[in-house]
Amino acid sequence: MTDTIKATATPEEILHPGSRALFRYWEAVRGEMSAPPRDWLDLQKIRMLVPYLFMIERRPDQAYAWRLAGTRVCGLWGKELTGRPAFAEGDRFERQSISRLLDGVVDAHQPFVLRFRLNSESGLGVAAELVATPLRARQGHTTFAFGVIMPFREVTWSQNDPVTTFELSAARTIWTEPVPGADRYASARSNSQQAFQVINGGRLD
């Protein structure tokens, strides 16, 4: 089921406490902008979320791929995700729905929240929530989808029991309103900030 909310998401719309924490942090970092530069992030402030963080990029062929994935994200899929196509396990409807949502992040700087279920070859399953927000690259005009994937229960797949299906259960765009002109100051401020920091606990390298 898909829907659109033309207002900032309330805690009721983002269910998992970890997802809420990431979204609140992104809101604080972006300030009046539509999307903060990558260098503005301080992962020490969201240290407990690092294993659940991800970054997805749009490639020249318009397909999406995992650019970075934390250890818990990779654990959900039972394999290393970095460099692989994102959400390839879904059927055509799931893939197209997520692609449209990611287009909204990259092109319109509108975050989204979705809930989904992963199923393994042996029939095991786990439900999770994903929040994706826009994040500007250090150089150029590229925008990444940055966020967290929080399972509603902890699970680690065996490499002998791979994830076979991805089922989308709910998806909602979170409309945000930047202050006109605020994005112009991103480059100047970014040059004075510390670089994106990598800390123990995830694969953000």
Side-chain angles (χ1 to χ4, degrees):
M1 183 177 85
T2 58
D3 193 8
T4 297
I5 305 171
K6 295 185 178 180
T8 301
T10 65
E12 289 75 20
E13 303 299 339
I14 300 178
L15 300 181
H16 198 288
S19 304
R20 297 180 195 174
L22 185 281
F23 186 76
R24 286 196 299 267
Y25 177 70
W26 176 81
E27 284 271 69
V29 172
R30 80 177 181 94
E32 298 177 341
M33 297 176 55
S34 63
R38 179 174 172 175
D39 289 349
W40 291 16
L41 296 182
D42 180 359
L43 297 187
Q44 293 285 350
K45 295 183 177 179
I46 51 172
R47 187 182 186 91
M48 298 300 293
L49 298 178
V50 168
Y52 302 94
L53 296 179
F54 70 85
M55 192 179 297
I56 293 174
E57 64 179 337
R58 186 167 63 189
R59 293 179 167 174
D61 62 359
Q62 304 302 301
Y64 286 96
W66 301 101
R67 182 178 177 89
L68 298 168
T71 54
R72 294 298 180 89
V73 178
C74 292
L76 277 177
W77 267 260
K79 60 186 175 183
E80 174 60 49
L81 293 176
T82 302
R84 295 176 180 268
F87 308 108
E89 299 81 7
D91 64 17
R92 183 176 180 181
F93 170 78
E94 267 81 9
R95 294 197 306 271
Q96 290 180 342
S97 296
I98 294 176
S99 181
R100 286 194 295 269
L101 290 165
L102 289 169
D103 285 343
V105 172
V106 172
D107 296 329
H109 287 184
Q110 297 297 342
F112 67 86
V113 56
L114 64 81
R115 286 179 284 281
F116 63 91
R117 181 180 177 84
L118 292 175
N119 299 299
S120 74
E121 190 173 68
S122 70
L124 296 176
V126 61
E129 183 174 70
L130 177 152
V131 169
T133 65
L135 185 69
R136 299 175 191 270
R138 291 195 185 106
Q139 303 292 332
H141 302 288
T142 302
T143 297
F144 302 121
F146 167 76
V148 290
I149 296 177
M150 305 300 302
F152 289 105
R153 66 178 179 86
E154 292 299 328
V155 64
T156 300
W157 304 104
S158 167
Q159 293 185 352
N160 298 320
D161 188 22
V163 169
T164 56
T165 60
F166 174 95
E167 299 176 3
L168 181 64
S169 58
R172 295 183 176 184
T173 298
I174 305 170
W175 291 96
T176 57
E177 295 292 339
V179 173
D183 288 352
R184 300 177 198 168
Y185 301 102
S187 297
R189 180 179 165 186
S190 181
N191 291 335
S192 66
Q193 299 294 312
Q194 294 182 344
F196 186 94
Q197 299 178 11
V198 178
I199 64 178
N200 294 332
R203 293 178 182 268
L204 291 179
D205 50 24

